[in-house]
Amino acid sequence: MAESLPKRMVLSGFAGMGAATFCHPLDVIRVQMQVDAEGGAARQYRNTLDAAVKIVRREGLRRGLYSGLTAAYLRQWTYGSCRMGIFTFLIDHYKQTSGGAPPTRTRASRR
């Protein structure tokens, strides 16, 4: 049974928010390591684990690794839910009108 577009969008938004909850701290660590030693200063972090530990000690878990999480949630709720919800709706619409799945051939496979 096909689910409605709003239901798919809500489920996609929650899925994206769940992924953001796990991935956001990794992004914070990555960015902190990228800007580490900028301007010729000495490096603060030896590796990813060292960066995570130092960020948590310096700023705490919530204000350190999860800083900016609400913006990530908002992005997932708007962009992720629209993208995934509408995509699945359009695929189902195509299947109903054409009688089958959309073609998966690409230009590269035609050579």
Side-chain angles (χ1 to χ4, degrees):
M1 180 174 177
E3 297 168 348
S4 67
L5 177 61
K7 184 176 181 180
R8 286 181 181 193
M9 292 176 74
V10 168
L11 292 174
S12 297
F14 280 127
M17 291 168 72
T21 302
F22 178 76
C23 294
H24 187 76
L26 300 174
D27 285 337
V28 169
I29 294 167
R30 176 185 53 86
V31 170
Q32 289 292 318
M33 291 182 73
Q34 285 175 336
V35 299
D36 187 29
E38 205 170 66
R43 291 182 105 33
Q44 284 184 316
Y45 311 120
R46 292 182 312 228
N47 54 45
T48 306
L49 184 61
D50 183 52
V53 168
K54 287 181 179 175
I55 291 169
V56 169
R57 284 184 183 159
R58 184 177 61 238
E59 301 174 36
L61 185 65
R62 194 167 140 216
R63 291 188 184 206
L65 295 181
Y66 285 96
S67 175
L69 185 62
T70 54
Y73 281 165
L74 182 61
R75 178 184 183 276
Q76 289 301 327
W77 188 253
T78 56
Y79 173 72
S81 66
C82 288
R83 179 175 49 111
M84 293 303 292
I86 293 172
F87 173 77
T88 56
F89 175 78
L90 291 174
I91 291 294
D92 286 347
H93 180 71
Y94 182 87
K95 287 177 184 178
Q96 289 174 357
T97 58
S98 70
T104 56
R105 293 177 299 207
T106 63
R107 290 180 119 172
S109 67
R110 291 183 201 159
R111 293 182 187 179

